[in-house]
Amino acid sequence: MSRVESAEKIEGIVGAKRHAVDHIGRAVTAESRVYILHSERCRAQYADLRECPYSRALDRGIDVRKRWAGFLDRPVRLWVSVATHKLVPEVVLDPVELPPPLGSERRGQDDVDG
């Protein structure tokens, strides 16, 4: 089940800054947990980020052996599989590919981890 965590904590764990439209996440194997850094668009759209399609997909679990192999413990851009309705990684983000900080960051609001 997804739970709310502070935005600053999620940014630190995921290792990325918030993006305008992309959701970025990190599957932390030591904690058996996936953290989602919701996009600015998503945060503007959902008062409760647990209602976001990405959070709902995370509640369905992830396929660690198939879809997440090679994507664990690093920041990845996320999407929701149309076939399984689960959260899946799209691409590993290298430090040079991480989105730049947004000038309109909203500190103090919460994000979701599952």
Side-chain angles (χ1 to χ4, degrees):
M1 176 88 176
S2 295
R3 70 177 187 207
V4 177
E5 296 282 358
S6 76
E8 292 170 336
K9 177 180 178 181
I10 300 294
E11 283 182 359
I13 292 168
V14 171
K17 294 292 183 185
R18 189 173 315 285
H19 191 267
V21 294
D22 291 335
H23 283 65
I24 301 169
R26 181 181 218 123
V28 180
T29 55
E31 299 177 26
S32 297
R33 184 168 303 254
V34 177
Y35 292 89
I36 299 174
L37 184 60
H38 290 268
S39 69
E40 284 291 333
R41 180 188 300 169
C42 179
R43 289 176 62 164
Q45 185 174 356
Y46 295 97
D48 183 347
L49 293 174
R50 292 172 292 188
E51 297 300 316
C52 163
Y54 289 79
S55 295
R56 289 178 177 242
L58 179 57
D59 287 342
R60 292 181 186 95
I62 65 169
D63 187 345
V64 175
R65 291 189 193 120
K66 284 175 105 177
R67 295 302 304 231
W68 282 82
F71 293 96
L72 302 171
D73 298 309
R74 55 179 72 190
V76 294
R77 189 173 10 216
L78 301 170
W79 62 285
V80 177
S81 168
V82 175
T84 65
H85 305 287
K86 290 185 175 185
L87 192 67
V88 293
E90 178 182 9
V91 63
V92 172
L93 299 174
D94 292 327
V96 294
E97 296 178 289
L98 292 175
L102 298 174
S104 62
E105 286 185 61
R106 296 182 203 151
R107 293 288 179 198
Q109 289 194 358
D110 298 325
D111 276 304
V112 176
D113 78 279

